[in-house]
Amino acid sequence: DAKTTQPPSMDCAEGRAANLPCNHSTISGNEYVYWYRQIHSQGPQYIIHGLKNNETNEMASLIITEDRKSSTLILPHATLRDTAVYYCIVRVAGGSQGNLIFGKGTKLSVKP
Amino acid sequence: DAGVTQSPTHLIKTRGQQVTLRCSPISGHKSVSWYQQVLGQGPQFIFQYYEKEERGRGNFPDRFSARQFPNYSSELNVNALLLGDSALYLCASSLGLAGTYEQYFGPGTRLTVT
């Protein structure tokens, strides 16, 4: 079973920031937080990952709470093309245990 | 550079038949993982192969099998197809073992079993 809890759906206005929350209260010290998204009928796309520090790349920012029990993915200026299902995944680092365990994710709808 | 490629894109099979799905990883990637995604659910892990050896297996029956070739491409075989095997089958590649490197997904093969 997935070790994360996400809201099933969210709406966001085009051009505004989209903040997607994720709870992972049972996360272990050696587990990273990963975010993927899946645009309709395509394969999942890697977005970002982090261990305990906040991370930023060209796609998004990841904010992880100090106790690591929750995190937020931020898309700073959402566009219609960001409409997708977003998956938050905790994953062991290293070895053969790191396959992705997907939950149902959050369906983000960006509206004009 | 080309991403992960999968073939065929779509196929329709009848219950009881066998199917083979193919995946070519990103150039330089040595690990391939297979996932099954039924409608409305997130992908579920089936297999991981690294350097031609099985390195992980999800909770799927023995009707599912896979292999990886010396060029790191991979095949997923499903025997005695059931209606419940209808799904999008995704292949993901990574530089090394999936626990250390990001996985990059292909577009998937849509399998319909009638």
Side-chain angles (χ1 to χ4, degrees):
Chain A
D1 290 345
K3 297 176 64 174
T4 61
T5 303
Q6 299 177 252
S9 64
M10 293 181 63
D11 290 341
C12 178
E14 188 178 19
R16 305 297 291 268
N19 297 279
L20 292 92
C22 178
N23 286 318
H24 31 79
S25 58
T26 61
I27 193 170
S28 301
N30 64 343
E31 288 181 317
Y32 285 72
V33 179
Y34 276 75
W35 284 83
Y36 281 75
R37 73 180 183 184
Q38 188 171 24
I39 296 171
H40 183 61
S41 296
Q42 298 182 20
Q45 175 190 24
Y46 166 78
I47 301 174
I48 198 168
H49 75 281
L51 183 62
K52 54 184 178 181
N53 297 321
N54 297 337
E55 302 289 344
T56 296
N57 62 20
E58 65 280 3
M59 289 184 67
S61 294
L62 173 60
I63 308 298
I64 302 175
T65 58
E66 192 168 344
D67 63 7
R68 303 210 321 126
K69 293 185 177 182
S70 65
S71 60
T72 301
L73 178 74
I74 302 172
L75 308 178
H77 305 287
T79 71
L80 298 179
R81 289 179 296 178
D82 292 321
T83 292
V85 178
Y86 287 77
Y87 296 100
C88 169
I89 300 166
V90 296
R91 179 191 190 195
V92 172
S96 60
Q97 302 177 58
N99 286 290
L100 302 168
I101 299 176
F102 290 83
K104 292 189 176 183
T106 295
K107 181 174 174 56
L108 176 68
S109 298
V110 181
K111 301 183 183 298
Chain B
D1 286 342
V4 178
T5 59
Q6 294 185 243
S7 63
T9 305
H10 298 86
L11 76 166
I12 300 173
K13 291 285 188 178
T14 304
R15 276 180 299 175
Q17 287 187 317
Q18 175 265 342
V19 68
T20 298
L21 311 180
R22 296 176 176 82
C23 171
S24 292
I26 293 170
S27 177
H29 285 196
K30 298 182 178 181
S31 178
V32 169
S33 295
W34 286 94
Y35 292 80
Q36 180 198 63
Q37 185 174 25
V38 300
L39 200 61
Q41 304 292 322
Q44 301 298 306
F45 168 67
I46 310 175
F47 286 111
Q48 182 191 173
Y49 276 77
Y50 174 67
E51 291 282 15
K52 303 183 292 295
E53 292 187 1
E54 182 181 307
R55 300 300 293 265
R57 184 183 185 116
N59 187 25
F60 279 80
D62 291 343
R63 299 185 295 108
F64 289 77
S65 63
R67 56 179 175 168
Q68 186 178 32
F69 298 99
N71 67 353
Y72 302 110
S73 67
S74 177
E75 287 182 350
L76 175 70
N77 296 284
V78 186
N79 294 322
L81 285 166
L82 304 174
L83 294 178
D85 295 330
S86 295
L88 180 67
Y89 288 84
L90 295 159
C91 172
S93 78
S94 55
L95 277 170
L97 284 171
T100 307
Y101 299 94
E102 291 78 52
Q103 294 188 337
Y104 296 88
F105 285 81
T109 293
R110 173 74 60 187
L111 171 66
T112 301
V113 182
T114 61

